[in-house]
Amino acid sequence: MTPEDAVRHVVGTNPTFAVHEVVVRGVTLKAFKNIPPTVPGLLAAGWAQHGDGTLEYLAYEDEALTYADFTRAVYRMAHAMRDELGVRQGDRVAIAMRNYPELLTLLLAISSIGGVVVFVNAWWTTEELDYALRDSEAKIVFADGPRMERLEPLQAELGLTLVGVRDAEGRGAHDFTTLQQAARSEVAPDVAIDTDDDFAVMYSSGTTGHPKGVVQTHRGAVNAVFSWLMQSFVAPLVTPPDPGAPEPLRPSVLVVTPLFHVTATHPLFLLSLPAGAKITLMRKWDAEQAVRLIRDNYITRFLGVPTQSAELMQAARRMGERLPTLDYLGSGGAKRPGAQVAQLAEAFPNAGIATGWGMTETNALGIGMIGDDYIARPESAGKLHPPVQELRMLDDAGIDVPPGQIGEITVKSPANMRCYLNKPEATAEVLQDGWLRTGDLGVLDADGYVTILDRKKNIIIRGGENIACLDVEGALHRHPDVLEAAAFPVPDDRLGEVVGAAVQLKTGATLTQADMAAFLQEHIASFKIPAHLWVQHDVLDRGATDKIDRRAIRTACLDNQKVKV
């Protein structure tokens, strides 16, 4: 079948993927009709796919949990949070830690009692944590050791209840382990959660300097999950397996990107529940360790930023490994260099090399492709994932542009965010009659493939991390010798982009890159600190409206027209 025929067949014959029209906040949308209405409903929906709970589900270093173990842990923590911490429906509860198994338990436990998960970037400084916690009004924070240290100065002023996890146990008002032991039940809490209730707040860098809290609903998350799940039913209709081919391995996922980003939470963790997939967490990215984990644990699915795909390939070559169990090698968070696609296909011949484009604002749902399509179009982002999304390419006036012309990628689906938290003007700017104006510019061809060309937003994507130029500039302006600053992306072979900055200094002042980095450590996360610095005493270039001309400044700096330190 063609992909389009296969989608129609699955939607028309498999009740799980039946689609109907719904009205959400006054907007008519296409949505799945028979899927679980909420995120915690995914846990029960996956029971049979995980051997009625008997299969190993979650692995981390030398720890392992069956699906039944994990389910009990989720429900015990849900009851403990309600009974011991007083969490009620609609309360926002923050999670601040590295990729520990407890993070996954907490995500489902919070949502099981109708709470709203606030994902905190584990790299943020105390200053950045302060902003997010004030903005979200989360009063309970589960944190590991490094995050606990940064949160403690905020505890009294913000009235926080800090709960220690792993190396932070004994430092907060409560401990994760003690709460679980105090739980009075390990069955699903009886809470009526509406599909359009808020599920989570995820912070995404924007052009306003401070990150924006993207409010995701249960409907949005589960519709995204089942859009991806449907691909596993469509694929064998498009490319049937060879006669006599062995049964495919059980899906098994290696999580290598932070779980406070949609790339890891949604198409990996949340999808693993109904897909019957095992989850393996890495404590810290290490390419050779990733090769060993994939080889020894029969991992089938890898999704990381392009840098990680490239490093995995290099490590596998050094180690003489072909990783035959890999059937999916995806990229998210940033665009993979086109030249890398064929190299990955040669290095991992059993894997479908894939690319994807999505946003925090779309619950990661968006555009993608895999295999021969991608090899033939390595610069493209792919096609819109069916069947609940709609796509338009718009000019600045909101008018559709024809195929082949540059337009702003604009999507409509139940997976779109509800709003930006506490930012009605920013919400109204991007959400219009259910259509989300993404800020990404691209071209749609006659066959439905989208090629992304540029970003309207002033965002630097460093190894999949979005960095707002204004966020960096705001921190630079705190330096007593800096009069003005402009941040911009600088190409980098490993990370795709890193942060560069040009600054105007006070007369007679000097500033080295090392001094600047040391100063910024207290104000912004380390990944946001400029790797390259250009200094001058003249005013920075300005445009016709007397605003800083970031593009002209960047060009001058990269062309060595200005002094780099």
Side-chain angles (χ1 to χ4, degrees):
M1 295 185 186
T2 66
E4 293 75 18
D5 287 341
V7 168
R8 282 191 290 269
H9 177 80
V10 172
V11 170
T13 61
N14 188 329
T16 299
F17 302 106
V19 172
H20 67 156
E21 286 192 344
V22 295
V23 178
V24 181
R25 297 180 291 278
V27 175
T28 301
L29 302 167
K30 294 185 294 183
F32 290 112
K33 183 178 181 181
N34 300 317
I35 64 175
T38 66
V39 169
L42 296 172
L43 192 57
W47 187 258
Q49 285 72 25
H50 292 272
D52 291 331
T54 62
L55 295 179
E56 184 176 301
Y57 170 63
L58 180 56
Y60 173 72
E61 297 193 325
D62 59 352
E63 305 169 26
L65 292 174
T66 66
Y67 197 75
D69 292 334
F70 179 70
T71 300
R72 284 191 291 269
V74 167
Y75 293 150
R76 289 184 69 84
M77 181 52 66
H79 286 284
M81 283 194 289
R82 189 165 62 178
D83 297 340
E84 305 297 326
L85 300 181
V87 177
R88 294 293 176 259
Q89 197 160 355
D91 287 352
R92 298 188 186 120
V93 180
I95 304 174
M97 66 186 69
R98 69 185 314 135
N99 281 8
Y100 284 132
E102 288 86 347
L103 194 156
L104 303 183
T105 301
L106 287 165
L107 186 162
L108 289 175
I110 294 165
S111 58
S112 291
I113 53 176
V116 180
V117 184
V118 177
F119 291 92
V120 170
N121 190 311
W123 293 321
W124 278 344
T125 63
T126 297
E127 214 171 278
E128 292 164 311
L129 291 167
D130 184 30
Y131 171 80
L133 294 174
R134 289 180 190 273
D135 184 57
S136 67
E137 299 180 296
K139 296 300 181 186
I140 298 172
V141 188
F142 287 80
D144 63 5
R147 267 48 67 177
M148 182 71 77
E149 185 175 341
R150 296 174 209 164
L151 287 161
E152 284 169 339
L154 307 174
Q155 184 174 3
E157 185 177 354
L158 300 186
L160 302 178
T161 297
L162 301 180
V163 183
V165 178
R166 299 252 168 174
D167 52 350
E169 293 208 346
R171 292 179 58 175
H174 301 271
D175 292 335
F176 182 94
T177 303
T178 305
L179 281 174
Q180 276 219 313
Q181 292 171 346
R184 299 167 192 160
S185 176
E186 52 187 37
V187 299
D190 184 15
V191 181
I193 305 169
D194 188 84
T195 189
D196 290 311
D197 284 348
D198 293 346
F199 151 60
V201 178
M202 272 192 168
Y203 280 89
S204 176
S205 291
T207 57
T208 55
H210 285 304
K212 290 181 283 198
V214 176
V215 180
Q216 302 167 342
T217 66
H218 289 270
R219 186 194 297 273
V222 296
N223 271 271
V225 165
F226 275 80
S227 294
W228 298 312
L229 183 63
M230 197 181 79
Q231 300 307 309
S232 64
F233 291 79
V234 169
L237 298 177
V238 176
T239 309
D242 294 331
E247 284 292 312
L249 294 173
R250 178 192 177 198
S252 184
V253 177
L254 182 63
V255 177
V256 298
T257 57
L259 283 160
F260 51 78
H261 285 326
V262 286
T263 302
T265 52
H266 290 51
L268 293 183
F269 169 53
L270 293 181
L271 177 59
S272 77
L273 301 171
K278 178 183 172 182
I279 288 281
T280 299
L281 302 180
M282 286 191 75
R283 175 179 172 82
K284 184 179 181 180
W285 171 246
D286 178 282
E288 292 193 359
Q289 176 63 6
V291 170
R292 288 188 286 270
L293 286 169
I294 293 168
R295 179 195 64 200
D296 298 342
N297 293 279
Y298 301 96
I299 283 166
T300 65
R301 186 177 177 88
F302 180 96
L303 175 59
V305 298
T307 303
Q308 292 169 319
S309 295
E311 292 178 352
L312 183 76
M313 175 174 62
Q314 293 162 3
R317 284 173 172 165
R318 286 195 304 271
M319 299 166 71
E321 299 287 349
R322 301 285 271 179
L323 303 182
T325 64
L326 266 187
D327 62 25
Y328 178 93
L329 182 61
S331 167
K335 184 182 182 300
R336 176 185 279 137
Q340 196 184 96
V341 180
Q343 296 169 3
L344 290 167
E346 190 280 329
F348 305 116
N350 288 0
I353 311 304
T355 186
W357 168 94
M359 304 173 69
T360 309
E361 289 87 340
T362 67
N363 278 276
L365 186 61
I367 295 166
M369 61 179 168
I370 187 171
D372 292 343
D373 269 1
Y374 189 22
I375 293 170
R377 302 170 180 83
E379 298 297 337
S380 175
K383 289 185 174 182
L384 196 71
H385 286 304
V388 299
Q389 294 190 100
E390 299 174 65
L391 172 69
R392 298 172 69 189
M393 307 294 284
L394 303 180
D395 64 16
D396 287 342
I399 298 171
D400 293 271
V401 302
Q405 289 192 17
I406 297 175
E408 182 177 2
I409 298 170
T410 306
V411 292
K412 180 180 181 181
S413 88
N416 284 353
M417 68 173 184
R418 179 172 71 79
C419 67
Y420 288 125
L421 185 64
N422 303 323
K423 290 180 169 55
E425 292 182 0
T427 302
E429 184 180 343
V430 301
L431 267 182
Q432 299 162 11
D433 297 322
W435 290 92
L436 179 73
R437 301 199 63 156
T438 67
D440 287 320
L441 300 177
V443 173
L444 176 68
D445 71 17
D447 296 319
Y449 291 90
V450 176
T451 299
I452 298 173
L453 302 175
D454 203 351
R455 297 185 298 276
K456 290 179 74 173
K457 310 169 187 176
N458 292 318
I459 293 290
I460 301 162
I461 302 182
R462 178 192 181 276
E465 275 301 323
N466 284 4
I467 302 169
C469 290
L470 291 183
D471 198 10
V472 177
E473 290 163 6
L476 284 166
H477 280 121
R478 291 174 176 269
H479 194 286
D481 290 332
V482 172
L483 294 176
E484 200 163 46
F488 47 82
V490 175
D492 183 83
D493 290 340
R494 178 173 175 269
L495 296 167
E497 293 176 346
V498 294
V499 182
V503 297
Q504 178 193 356
L505 299 178
K506 292 179 179 177
T507 302
T510 59
L511 183 66
T512 66
Q513 197 278 337
D515 290 340
M516 174 269 300
F519 174 82
L520 292 181
Q521 286 288 351
E522 297 298 316
H523 301 290
I524 53 175
S526 57
F527 70 91
K528 300 179 185 178
I529 294 173
H532 305 282
L533 180 68
W534 288 262
V535 300
Q536 61 188 73
H537 292 94
D538 298 331
V539 297
L540 299 180
D541 293 343
R542 313 186 97 72
T545 60
D546 205 36
K547 293 181 180 179
I548 286 179
D549 189 339
R550 187 177 284 105
R551 181 169 295 183
I553 294 168
R554 177 181 185 272
T555 299
C557 290
L558 296 185
D559 289 348
N560 295 317
Q561 296 173 26
K562 295 187 181 294
V563 179
K564 180 180 175 183
V565 295

